[in-house]
Amino acid sequence: DVKVTQSSRYLVKRTGEKVFLECVQDMDHENMFWYRQDPGLGLRLIYFSYDVKMKEKGDIPEGYSVSREKKERFSLILESASTNQTSMYLCASKPGGFQPQHFGDGTRLSIL
Amino acid sequence: DQQVKQNSPSLSVQEGRISILNCDYTNSMFDYFLWYKKYPAEGPTFLISISSIKDKNEDGRFTVFLNKSAKHLSLHIVPSQPGDSAVYFCAAFLDNQGGKLIFGQGTELSVKP
């Protein structure tokens, strides 16, 4: 079974802080993704990566950056957290070709 | 620009009856469509998919229908069970875009005993 692990289930931070969300997958997948889920908006793609050190902007990259130094790990960085970044953050991975994405359990982030 | 839309935020069904969840899309170039199920405090889990060259795919109690001319797909759950109560997301996949998925807004299904 594919295991996608997000480092924190719940996180509370203050506005202006730099926030790191970590995601690790154990299946040697090439592709990794970061989404945020908000009520009524579904899942929106922030960034994705199709290889080590490669990254592509998704639909809502503003205020975020990512890092992929190793194949198994994909980090999402909030450079200066703001209250409108309070959300559920979901990480996913998949192999190449048409295969479903496998998701972690999410990090519920609150910015105060 | 919402390329994948689920227009019903919620659906309530009696146990044993059929649940029908609907999804509309605008881009005729999508290669695959997927349905995910999400319980609170868990990540989405893959349920069933369908290629754009097919019009039906079945897996146990779950069947997905694709109507390309109407740009519409639906997920049928028969018979519905209380454990099916969750949020269901449809998603579309473009093969030439690095495997990214475009999700709908989700429909919350409640199956009453």
Side-chain angles (χ1 to χ4, degrees):
Chain A
D1 261 4
V2 178
K3 185 75 175 167
V4 179
T5 303
Q6 294 185 229
S7 53
S8 304
R9 294 298 301 273
Y10 301 93
L11 209 52
V12 180
K13 296 290 182 181
R14 297 206 173 273
T15 55
E17 280 193 70
K18 191 169 186 175
V19 181
F20 294 85
L21 302 183
E22 306 286 347
C23 175
V24 176
Q25 50 98 0
D26 66 354
M27 286 302 290
D28 205 37
H29 286 168
E30 291 92 344
N31 304 290
M32 296 188 75
F33 306 82
W34 275 105
Y35 296 87
R36 62 179 282 177
Q37 182 196 356
D38 300 289
L41 297 176
L43 276 69
R44 293 181 293 164
L45 182 64
I46 304 170
Y47 268 97
F48 66 105
S49 168
Y50 51 87
D51 203 350
V52 176
K53 297 194 187 294
M54 306 301 287
K55 61 184 179 184
E56 293 278 344
K57 291 180 181 178
D59 299 317
I60 50 164
E62 297 79 18
Y64 303 94
S65 62
V66 289
S67 171
R68 192 158 181 212
E69 296 297 317
K70 293 186 178 181
K71 193 173 186 179
E72 67 270 18
R73 185 180 296 269
F74 191 35
S75 303
L76 178 70
I77 303 151
L78 286 66
E79 297 290 343
S80 177
S82 64
T83 54
N84 63 10
Q85 293 178 308
T86 291
S87 187
M88 168 70 86
Y89 289 87
L90 292 157
C91 174
S93 74
K94 68 177 283 299
F98 174 63
Q99 294 288 333
Q101 293 182 16
H102 298 267
F103 283 84
D105 282 337
T107 296
R108 183 160 293 285
L109 175 64
S110 296
I111 307 295
L112 305 179
Chain B
D1 177 25
Q2 189 81 28
Q3 294 189 66
V4 177
K5 290 184 186 177
Q6 294 174 257
N7 291 316
S8 298
S10 62
L11 175 68
S12 184
V13 168
Q14 208 66 32
E15 182 179 5
R17 300 287 189 122
I18 184 171
S19 296
I20 301 176
L21 296 103
N22 294 303
C23 181
D24 296 298
Y25 62 95
T26 56
N27 189 342
S28 58
M29 302 302 291
F30 287 134
D31 297 292
Y32 291 93
F33 301 90
L34 301 87
W35 285 93
Y36 279 82
K37 174 180 178 178
K38 185 180 184 301
Y39 293 118
E42 292 183 14
T45 54
F46 169 70
L47 200 53
I48 191 169
S49 64
I50 187 167
S51 164
S52 61
I53 62 171
K54 305 220 168 178
D55 53 22
K56 178 182 175 181
N57 188 27
E58 193 171 350
D59 183 2
R61 296 186 297 114
F62 302 91
T63 303
V64 56
F65 295 92
L66 176 61
N67 182 335
K68 284 190 290 293
S69 61
K71 294 193 180 72
H72 177 83
L73 68 155
S74 60
L75 175 68
H76 292 212
I77 306 173
V78 183
S80 303
Q81 299 172 353
D84 296 330
S85 298
V87 178
Y88 290 78
F89 292 98
C90 71
F93 172 91
L94 268 170
D95 205 12
N96 63 353
Q97 293 211 353
K100 61 185 256 187
L101 291 175
I102 300 168
F103 283 86
Q105 305 95 312
T107 296
E108 183 171 10
L109 173 66
S110 175
V111 180
K112 309 272 186 213

